[in-house]
Amino acid sequence: DVKVTQSSRYLVKRTGEKVFLECVQDMDHENMFWYRQDPGLGLRLIYFSYDVKMKEKGDIPEGYSVSREKKERFSLILESASTNQTSMYLCASSLVFSGTVYEQYFGPGTRLTVT
Amino acid sequence: KQEVTQIPAALSVPEGENLVLNCSFTDSAIYNLQWFRQDPGKGLTSLLLIQSSQREQTSGRLNASLDKSSGRSTLYIAASQPGDSATYLCAVEGTYKYIFGTGTRLKVLA
């Protein structure tokens, strides 16, 4: 079974702090994704990566950066946390199959509160 | 720009009922469509994936259909149980990324 793990289930940080969210997958998947989920807005893609050291902006990249130094690990960085980044953050991974993104597998999520 | 809509936003049914959840999308040029389940405060669990060349997929009591030309997918749940209570999300895949609907929150009453 594919396993996607996230470093924390709950985090509380102060405004202006630098925040690292880590995601690890154990199935050698090429693609990894970071989403945030907010009530009424659904899941929105922040960044994704289709290979080591490669990254692409999603729909809402402002205020975030990412790092992928190893295939299994994808980190989301909030350079200077703000209260509007309080959200549920979800990591996902998937295989590439026949040139398209295949089935996505999600981690358990990190609920981040910025005060 | 692709938009994905799920109606209704919430649904309550008595145990044992068969039910249908709807997902519609505006751009029929999709690769895949995936249905997920999300329990409160948890991540997403994949239920079914339908490739664009397929019309339906089945897993146990779940059946998902896809009609690309009309921009619609349905998730059919047979003989619903209280354990099916969760939020159900559909997501359509464009190039390299999925676009999600906002989900249908299902409550199955015992």
Side-chain angles (χ1 to χ4, degrees):
Chain A
D1 275 356
V2 176
K3 193 161 185 186
V4 181
T5 57
Q6 295 184 228
S7 50
S8 304
R9 290 300 312 278
Y10 301 95
L11 269 182
V12 180
K13 296 291 182 181
R14 293 196 180 276
T15 303
E17 277 193 80
K18 191 169 185 175
V19 181
F20 294 86
L21 303 182
E22 300 252 299
C23 175
V24 178
Q25 50 94 3
D26 67 356
M27 284 301 292
D28 204 34
H29 284 174
E30 289 88 351
N31 298 322
M32 296 188 76
F33 306 81
W34 275 107
Y35 296 90
R36 65 177 282 178
Q37 185 178 30
D38 302 286
L41 297 177
L43 272 84
R44 293 178 291 166
L45 181 65
I46 305 171
Y47 268 97
F48 67 98
S49 169
Y50 51 89
D51 202 350
V52 176
K53 296 191 186 293
M54 305 302 288
K55 61 186 179 185
E56 292 285 340
K57 292 180 180 179
D59 299 316
I60 51 164
E62 296 79 19
Y64 303 94
S65 62
V66 291
S67 173
R68 193 167 181 199
E69 297 296 319
K70 294 185 178 181
K71 192 173 186 179
E72 68 271 18
R73 189 181 298 269
F74 191 35
S75 301
L76 179 70
I77 303 156
L78 287 65
E79 296 290 343
S80 177
S82 64
T83 55
N84 63 12
Q85 292 178 309
T86 291
S87 186
M88 170 73 109
Y89 289 87
L90 292 161
C91 174
S93 71
S94 71
L95 284 169
V96 176
F97 178 78
S98 297
T100 71
V101 173
Y102 205 49
E103 189 170 3
Q104 289 202 323
Y105 297 87
F106 279 81
T110 296
R111 183 163 294 284
L112 172 67
T113 302
V114 182
T115 62
Chain B
K1 182 185 170 187
Q2 179 74 270
E3 292 183 5
V4 181
T5 304
Q6 292 184 250
I7 295 173
L11 182 64
S12 285
V13 300
E15 183 176 6
E17 266 202 17
N18 302 323
L19 57 101
V20 174
L21 305 181
N22 297 296
C23 172
S24 61
F25 46 95
T26 54
D27 185 350
S28 62
I30 66 169
Y31 290 110
N32 304 308
L33 185 144
Q34 196 168 355
W35 281 94
F36 295 89
R37 167 189 174 133
Q38 186 176 31
D39 294 292
K42 303 285 180 66
L44 277 66
T45 301
S46 178
L47 296 173
L48 290 163
L49 179 140
I50 310 176
Q51 296 183 58
S52 62
S53 57
Q54 298 172 325
R55 285 200 162 260
E56 64 179 297
Q57 282 284 344
T58 298
S59 176
R61 294 184 293 109
L62 305 179
N63 175 277
S65 67
L66 174 63
D67 183 345
K68 279 180 58 176
S69 61
S70 66
R72 292 174 63 181
S73 176
T74 60
L75 178 67
Y76 175 83
I77 302 176
S80 58
Q81 303 169 358
D84 294 330
S85 298
T87 297
Y88 291 81
L89 296 130
C90 69
V92 299
E93 190 220 332
T95 304
Y96 275 118
K97 60 180 186 178
Y98 278 89
I99 307 297
F100 284 79
T102 51
T104 294
R105 191 169 62 254
L106 173 66
K107 188 167 186 178
V108 181
L109 305 168

